[in-house]
Amino acid sequence: MLRADNFGNMSKIDIKSMSFEEVIAFTQEKGYPRFRAEQIYSWLHQKQVNGFEEMSNLPKSLIEELSSICYISVANIEKKLVSRYDNTVKYLFSFCDGECVEAVVMDYHHGHSMCISTQVGCKMGCTFCATGMGGFIRNLTPSEILSQIHTAQRDLNLRISSLVLMGMGEPLDNFENVVKFIKLATDEKGLNLGARHITLSTCGVVPKIYELADLHIPINLSLSLHDTKNETRSRTMPISKKYPLEDTLKACKYYSDTTGRRITYEYALIKGVNDSEINALELANLIKGTLCHVNLIPVNPVEGTGYSQSSEKNIRNFQKILERHGVTATVRRTLGSDINASCGQLRGKQIRGN
């Protein structure tokens, strides 16, 4: 049974992190029929309520019992920023223990996509990332990851049609909770999102890439690559010291072969660091011939890193070189530039009291 022993709801059961089968077992153990479990699960995942008192078709005795032994995780809006350029919405959410994470809702022609967080802070220490500067606090529970979506949908009165696990934290460092979340999000009795509309971004936790592949959940895998050699990649991404690029790319190929899903390689272009023609040729030679796509990202300017974006000319030239060598590449559209939409910066300001 999932409990929040370290959080604000001491020893209470985290009912929104339960699968449908677990809710059935829980209610039957309490002497209630199966249809009560169906009602509770529907209230939690389809109607997305924040309190047991909102479950109007449950008997008062059950509501009181649930309230005494369970809690419903909620992502509270601490700050909300809306871009005046492209309708991108950035949230700072807080949970029952006061810890905060960031999430971003992006408006595309095909629907609304949401970038969500999986940890409070991050252990990975990538030097261009604002999240890592604040250190690691804790993992998010499945319900806390899910609640970010629930709150945004309710606040904006819309349906999120695709998800990117690319916010604060390394998803594969919170493996069990993230997998449980994905199963909840794809449950037809819940959000009913297609697995192929979910993308998990990792910096390269190699053993967990294999483990995820063997679960045969056809989500998309995105690798934060950003460099083509271990020596230089290790300077910006310390994980490369533990899991060399050769092992990481081998794991990605295994994932693609096992799931049939194309790998996306994220490559943040940093002026004077990894944006030369030689870098582009090295990248093409490294991954060509595999089922993949490259997403070129003008690096987000983050205070304290000293990094700046490549010029538009360099970015387009980099893209052309990849394509000439048979590697499909796109340049990520910059959204929410006026609200610092890259994750980590809003929480950092909150911590510093700005």
Side-chain angles (χ1 to χ4, degrees), residues 37-280:
E38 293 173 346
Q39 290 173 325
I40 293 168
Y41 197 81
S42 175
W43 281 112
L44 291 171
H45 296 281
Q46 293 184 339
K47 301 181 180 70
Q48 302 170 12
V49 298
N50 288 339
F52 295 109
E53 69 281 356
E54 298 176 56
M55 300 181 179
S56 56
N57 58 355
L58 299 187
K60 185 178 179 182
S61 59
L62 178 53
I63 290 175
E64 289 175 350
E65 185 169 9
L66 289 173
S67 299
S68 67
I69 60 176
C70 302
Y71 78 101
I72 299 175
S73 179
V74 177
N76 302 295
I77 300 173
E78 293 293 325
K79 287 186 180 179
K80 174 184 175 183
L81 303 176
V82 182
S83 173
R84 60 183 180 272
Y85 300 139
D86 49 40
N87 298 320
T88 298
V89 181
K90 183 169 185 176
Y91 290 103
L92 182 69
F93 292 127
S94 66
F95 299 108
C96 59
D97 62 348
E99 293 295 347
C100 295
V101 299
E102 297 175 37
V104 180
V105 177
M106 295 156 286
D107 185 5
Y108 292 107
H109 68 275
H110 53 76
H112 290 87
S113 182
M114 187 170 183
C115 179
I116 55 178
S117 294
T118 56
Q119 296 178 312
V120 182
C122 186
K123 303 174 188 175
M124 299 299 118
C126 300
T127 60
F128 49 79
C129 177
T131 297
M133 291 181 177
F136 174 77
I137 306 298
R138 67 171 176 86
N139 289 325
L140 296 186
T141 64
S143 63
E144 288 174 326
I145 303 171
L146 193 63
S147 293
Q148 297 170 63
I149 306 164
H150 289 177
T151 297
Q153 288 190 147
R154 185 166 48 248
D155 180 57
L156 298 174
N157 192 29
L158 52 78
R159 173 175 166 76
I160 300 298
S161 56
S162 62
L163 296 175
V164 186
L165 280 67
M166 201 182 287
M168 295 174 60
E170 164 55 59
L172 296 185
D173 188 46
N174 186 17
F175 189 83
E176 290 185 9
N177 286 341
V178 166
V179 168
K180 186 83 179 277
F181 156 75
I182 291 169
K183 291 179 178 179
L184 289 170
T186 55
D187 187 350
E188 62 182 10
K189 293 181 175 63
L191 283 179
N192 194 26
L193 277 173
R196 297 187 178 196
H197 295 285
I198 299 175
T199 298
L200 183 150
S201 177
T202 178
C203 64
V205 186
V206 168
K208 295 302 180 181
I209 294 176
Y210 285 104
E211 197 171 335
L212 183 65
D214 289 338
L215 291 175
H216 296 280
I217 306 172
I219 64 170
N220 304 300
L221 183 68
S222 175
L223 176 73
S224 295
L225 185 58
H226 308 317
D227 213 311
T228 57
K229 294 179 180 177
N230 283 317
E231 181 183 356
T232 47
R233 188 172 188 257
S234 297
R235 294 172 193 160
T236 55
M237 302 183 70
I239 194 153
S240 219
K241 297 175 184 176
K242 186 172 185 179
Y243 302 116
L245 267 179
E246 299 79 17
D247 295 340
T248 306
L249 295 175
K250 185 178 177 181
C252 288
K253 186 177 186 306
Y254 179 84
Y255 186 89
S256 181
D257 290 345
T258 304
T259 64
R261 305 302 292 158
R262 182 181 70 175
I263 303 295
T264 295
Y265 292 109
E266 306 282 346
Y267 195 97
L269 288 159
I270 306 171
K271 184 178 180 181
V273 175
N274 64 355
D275 63 342
S276 70
E277 291 187 5
I278 292 175
N279 294 138

Side-chain angles (χ1 to χ4, degrees), residues 12-30:
K12 284 192 172 185
I13 296 166
D14 179 9
I15 193 168
K16 197 158 76 174
S17 285
M18 289 184 184
S19 67
F20 180 55
E21 291 73 21
E22 288 171 332
V23 176
I24 291 173
F26 172 69
T27 52
Q28 289 182 340
E29 181 185 319
K30 300 296 179 184

